[in-house]
Amino acid sequence: MATIKDVARVAGVSVASVSRVLNNGPKVSKATIEKVTRVMQELNYSPNANARALVTQKSTTLGVVIPNLVDPFFASLAQGVEQVARQKNMQLLLSTGLVSAETEMQAINLLIERRCEVMVIHSKKLSDQALIALANQVPGLVLIDRYIEAIAQRCIWLDNLEGGRIAARHFLALAHKNVACISSKYQIDDPRLRLQGFQSELLSAGVDIEPELIAYGEPTLQGGEIAVQKLLASGKSFSALFVYNDAMAIGAISALEDNGFKVPSEISVLGFDDVLLSRYSRPKLSTLNYPVEEMAIHAASIGIDLASKQPKNTANINCKYIPSLVKRESTSFNLT
Amino acid sequence: MATIKDVARVAGVSVASVSRVLNNGPKVSKATIEKVTRVMQELNYSPNANARALVTQKSTTLGVVIPNLVDPFFASLAQGVEQVARQKNMQLLLSTGLVSAETEMQAINLLIERRCEVMVIHSKKLSDQALIALANQVPGLVLIDRYIEAIAQRCIWLDNLEGGRIAARHFLALAHKNVACISSKYQIDDPRLRLQGFQSELLSAGVDIEPELIAYGEPTLQGGEIAVQKLLASGKSFSALFVYNDAMAIGAISALEDNGFKVPSEISVLGFDDVLLSRYSRPKLSTLNYPVEEMAIHAASIGIDLASKQPKNTANINCKYIPSLVKRESTSFNLT
DNA sequence: CAAATATAGGTAAACGTTTACCCTTGTTTC
DNA sequence: GAAACAAGGGTAAACGTTTACCTATATTTG
């Protein structure tokens, strides 16, 4: 593969000149630009990004660390980051397959080795401490979907507590008194906060959830189906069901209908996340929109700013997002 | 950030020795290994991958070029490639947002600049010629979901024609005689071949599709809904419907049910791709499985082999995949 | 017309590694 | 006890760029 030296030799100029036309630098005559450009095409020259990165000390690379890509939630996240990468002429380095704190750390370390200047990290396994240390080491590191007090201005997160409250208010507005809830069996912050917000808001309106009407399951379609079985097995009746995420909610609707319950006329079901699925289900799922792509774009932008020499936004940037209710077809007024 | 020289200085050895422990090279005593390792941790040393790539002339980087990530089909593709990247200790460079031959070319050129040794490309816009030229330039380049005679052993593709035939045989086996079809309005190879295989197989069984019962639309949920309207507007009746992809098929089912047709008892609907959605729809969608993740893994593996010094598999590798019928709930025996 | 100033372009150091080649020391072999 | 060899480790060139600094020519200025 042709190098800058080859181009310089053939064009009869110094490598400095070639470098200058490559970077639209000053101090090159029009004639030289043309000549060099022509030779570059002739030799099919492609500048070596690794050499460039080495000497300029910047890799023009944007890293994303997510658990996987098949979950449309994370795909949207990655897509958002990619979008700003492309716009800023940077390239995306993607790591997935994170199952433990160790693999997460490993993925991040690989990005550091590549001298990736900005990184958007979705980590649920690494400790606050570890992430704070990392953040101090990598100026362009931003956390998404996680809040850590000590590095608050580097966190882009969704207010899950408020999400739960919004869900509760929706059900209250629809006159539901007997409500049930399906949460994730993985008791990380998200499900806990959603449930907490939901419960507390209901309670302050005088509505209590019976303990038998809270079920936990895998955050998947099947998990939702199974969780509904549990709820029904309790023998308690309910007219509204708040589910941890859309996949579970769709599974829940399936199971409810299989058991002869009509959604939403007999039971209203509300999901969370507003992923693609929710628009494809029947009835179309009412849910809470998690603006993940927008948040990812925001995170990447902050990361780029932070990684630059003089970051502008030191504080007072809004890092907290509030989910919004998307009323579709799976929730309706309680007529019982 | 600490460099190899810093480590060498602090540990009181030469940079060569540090490099050797870094690479588990020979000619290092156990004592040196320990000492150097300790200093590395002390200084929080991280080897510079760009410098390494420069001197070794290999980037341990695997590139993926796809139109987008939100389409679960492409997400699966990327996931498959990522899987082998991780397993081979390489990193994923991802490019999306391809709308034209130009942007596709641009994305590939960026990968070349990074000296990405293996690339898995999903291109629908670039010409055969351009791709052949690229393939000759980049040994580790593999095409996925496309077949080009001249570089056949670098193409991993699905036999869409056979897919259409399989769909036809399924309907024939279910005794359907009045069949309809929804194709994509974008007449690239995939929809054309699927339709062609479908039609020809039906024809050889004496079943003809009336021209009014072939509709074209955007390959999306809405596109499927609209296409069904067109079919119904024709006034012709049909008992089986083969749809270009799952998203359209789910839209089609929605529209059919909205018009009072029961699926599958009155009309059978068969999709294509077997993306996540098909398992979440009601009724669960019968479809043709496109083993995209498996194919992506295969593509990445071939790419890695091709990029190595002495590729093993020169020919006789199977690059053609056949979709398989996944019978779920949206197709049934014709009782009319 | 000399001096000052632009303008274009060249030279070489630097970025952080790897690795071929060389040197030292100690051990084995006869 | 000399010769051969093995083991550990150091020196320096090379990878392909960018860029600070320098030089040479042309142009402007008084």
Side-chain angles (χ1 to χ4, degrees):
Chain A
M1 180 152 277
T3 73
I4 200 174
K5 287 180 194 165
D6 299 321
V7 175
R9 189 167 30 74
V10 175
V13 298
S14 72
V15 292
S17 289
V18 178
S19 176
R20 288 195 261 259
V21 342
L22 209 51
N23 299 290
N24 304 312
K27 310 211 259 185
V28 251
S29 68
K30 217 150 187 289
T32 307
I33 292 179
E34 271 174 31
K35 188 171 39 172
V36 169
T37 308
R38 190 150 25 80
V39 173
M40 279 178 172
Q41 288 184 333
E42 235 169 65
L43 300 185
N44 195 20
Y45 170 71
S46 167
N48 186 318
N50 297 123
R52 282 179 142 175
L54 182 58
V55 64
T56 60
Q57 302 280 49
K58 53 180 57 173
S59 69
T60 58
T61 261
L62 212 160
V64 179
V65 176
I66 49 178
N68 67 70
L69 274 174
V70 292
D71 185 331
F73 178 85
F74 295 120
S76 295
L77 199 168
Q79 179 84 75
V81 177
E82 213 279 342
Q83 205 173 306
V84 350
R86 192 148 23 84
Q87 194 203 319
K88 300 278 184 182
N89 283 312
M90 302 179 78
Q91 259 183 303
L92 237 225
L93 272 170
L94 186 86
S95 280
T96 73
L98 314 171
V99 293
S100 63
E102 236 171 273
T103 48
E104 281 185 359
M105 197 60 177
Q106 220 172 295
I108 295 174
N109 276 331
L110 283 179
L111 294 180
I112 293 179
E113 289 188 7
R114 286 252 138 78
R115 297 299 185 265
C116 192
E117 36 245 328
V118 5
M119 318 187 356
V120 176
I121 308 288
H122 185 284
S123 166
K124 290 288 175 199
K125 309 278 183 151
L126 282 172
S127 68
D128 285 12
Q129 268 189 321
L131 288 169
I132 293 170
L134 242 16
N136 289 333
Q137 190 189 344
V138 182
L141 186 147
V142 175
L143 261 31
I144 191 162
D145 198 18
R146 178 152 177 175
Y147 178 75
I148 298 177
E149 185 72 36
I151 47 173
Q153 72 296 352
R154 312 274 285 274
C155 298
I156 300 291
W157 56 286
L158 187 85
D159 191 340
N160 284 297
L161 201 64
E162 182 63 17
R165 289 196 205 104
I166 292 171
R169 287 198 286 270
H170 181 51
F171 283 161
L172 291 171
L174 295 176
H176 290 282
K177 301 283 184 203
N178 291 310
V179 301
C181 186
I182 293 177
S183 184
S184 166
K185 68 192 294 184
Y186 300 108
Q187 282 300 314
I188 46 178
D189 283 350
D190 303 31
R192 189 166 39 237
L193 291 171
R194 289 176 193 180
L195 178 54
Q196 188 186 323
F198 185 63
Q199 263 182 309
S200 68
E201 187 76 9
L202 285 176
L203 205 58
S204 67
V207 174
D208 205 359
I209 308 183
E210 303 200 48
E212 294 96 326
L213 287 182
I214 300 180
Y216 299 84
E218 289 283 337
T220 61
L221 184 86
Q222 287 78 19
E225 289 173 344
I226 296 170
V228 160
Q229 316 289 8
K230 287 190 217 164
L231 292 178
L232 296 177
S234 77
K236 310 267 182 184
S237 74
F238 53 94
S239 69
L241 175 60
F242 176 44
V243 188
Y244 173 59
N245 70 18
D246 290 346
M248 287 185 103
I250 290 172
I253 292 176
S254 262
L256 285 173
E257 295 193 332
D258 287 346
N259 281 277
F261 294 96
K262 296 263 179 247
V263 174
S265 57
E266 295 175 67
I267 298 180
S268 285
V269 176
L270 182 61
F272 207 113
D273 283 353
D274 194 21
V275 293
L276 201 61
L277 290 174
S278 57
R279 261 152 289 179
Y280 283 65
S281 72
R282 303 218 86 204
K284 295 201 188 73
L285 191 68
S286 291
T287 188
L288 289 168
N289 178 261
Y290 193 138
V292 59
E293 187 162 350
E294 183 188 342
M295 288 166 70
I297 290 172
H298 188 180
S301 306
I302 289 182
I304 289 176
D305 181 51
L306 251 32
S308 72
K309 301 308 158 212
Q310 56 280 25
K312 302 169 218 145
N313 344 337
T314 45
N316 76 321
I317 39 170
N318 180 28
C319 296
K320 183 172 87 169
Y321 281 73
I322 308 282
S324 57
L325 180 71
V326 181
K327 171 96 180 68
R328 293 208 182 88
E329 304 166 353
S330 67
T331 51
S332 69
F333 199 81
N334 179 27
L335 300 171
T336 62
Chain B
M1 179 153 278
T3 73
I4 200 174
K5 286 179 195 167
D6 299 321
V7 176
R9 189 167 30 74
V10 175
V13 298
S14 72
V15 291
S17 289
V18 178
S19 175
R20 288 196 262 258
V21 342
L22 209 51
N23 299 290
N24 303 312
K27 311 211 263 186
V28 251
S29 67
K30 217 150 186 289
T32 308
I33 293 179
E34 272 173 32
K35 187 172 39 173
V36 169
T37 309
R38 190 150 25 80
V39 174
M40 280 177 172
Q41 289 184 334
E42 233 168 67
L43 301 185
N44 195 19
Y45 170 72
S46 167
N48 185 318
N50 297 122
R52 280 179 143 177
L54 182 58
V55 64
T56 59
Q57 302 279 50
K58 53 182 59 174
S59 69
T60 59
T61 260
L62 213 160
V64 179
V65 176
I66 49 177
N68 67 71
L69 273 174
V70 292
D71 184 331
F73 179 86
F74 295 120
S76 294
L77 200 168
Q79 179 84 75
V81 177
E82 212 278 343
Q83 206 172 306
V84 349
R86 192 149 23 85
Q87 193 204 320
K88 300 278 184 184
N89 283 311
M90 302 179 77
Q91 258 184 304
L92 238 224
L93 272 171
L94 186 85
S95 280
T96 74
L98 314 172
V99 293
S100 64
E102 236 172 274
T103 48
E104 283 186 359
M105 196 62 177
Q106 221 171 297
I108 296 175
N109 276 331
L110 283 179
L111 294 181
I112 293 178
E113 289 188 8
R114 286 249 138 78
R115 297 300 184 266
C116 194
E117 36 245 328
V118 3
M119 319 185 359
V120 176
I121 309 288
H122 185 285
S123 165
K124 290 287 175 200
K125 308 278 183 154
L126 282 172
S127 68
D128 285 10
Q129 269 190 319
L131 287 169
I132 293 170
L134 242 17
N136 289 332
Q137 190 189 345
V138 182
L141 185 148
V142 176
L143 260 34
I144 192 163
D145 198 17
R146 178 151 177 176
Y147 177 75
I148 298 178
E149 185 72 35
I151 47 171
Q153 71 297 349
R154 315 271 286 273
C155 298
I156 300 290
W157 56 286
L158 187 85
D159 191 341
N160 283 298
L161 200 64
E162 182 63 17
R165 291 197 204 105
I166 292 171
R169 287 197 287 270
H170 181 51
F171 282 162
L172 292 171
L174 295 177
H176 290 282
K177 302 283 184 202
N178 291 311
V179 301
C181 187
I182 293 177
S183 185
S184 166
K185 68 192 294 185
Y186 299 108
Q187 282 300 313
I188 47 179
D189 284 349
D190 303 31
R192 189 164 41 234
L193 291 171
R194 288 175 194 181
L195 179 54
Q196 189 185 322
F198 184 64
Q199 261 182 310
S200 68
E201 187 76 8
L202 284 176
L203 205 58
S204 67
V207 174
D208 204 359
I209 309 182
E210 304 198 48
E212 294 96 329
L213 288 181
I214 300 180
Y216 299 84
E218 289 282 338
T220 61
L221 184 86
Q222 285 78 18
E225 289 174 343
I226 296 169
V228 160
Q229 316 287 7
K230 288 191 216 162
L231 291 178
L232 296 177
S234 77
K236 309 268 182 185
S237 75
F238 54 94
S239 69
L241 175 60
F242 176 45
V243 188
Y244 173 60
N245 71 17
D246 290 346
M248 287 184 102
I250 289 173
I253 291 176
S254 261
L256 286 173
E257 296 193 332
D258 287 347
N259 281 277
F261 294 96
K262 295 266 180 244
V263 175
S265 56
E266 294 175 68
I267 297 180
S268 285
V269 176
L270 182 62
F272 206 113
D273 285 353
D274 193 21
V275 293
L276 200 61
L277 290 174
S278 57
R279 262 153 289 179
Y280 281 65
S281 72
R282 303 216 86 204
K284 293 199 187 77
L285 191 65
S286 292
T287 189
L288 288 168
N289 177 261
Y290 194 137
V292 59
E293 188 162 349
E294 183 188 341
M295 289 167 68
I297 291 173
H298 188 181
S301 305
I302 288 182
I304 288 176
D305 181 50
L306 251 32
S308 72
K309 300 310 157 210
Q310 55 282 25
K312 302 171 217 142
N313 345 336
T314 46
N316 77 322
I317 39 170
N318 180 28
C319 297
K320 183 172 87 170
Y321 281 72
I322 309 283
S324 56
L325 180 71
V326 181
K327 171 93 181 69
R328 293 206 182 87
E329 303 166 354
S330 68
T331 53
S332 69
F333 199 82
N334 180 26
L335 299 171
T336 62

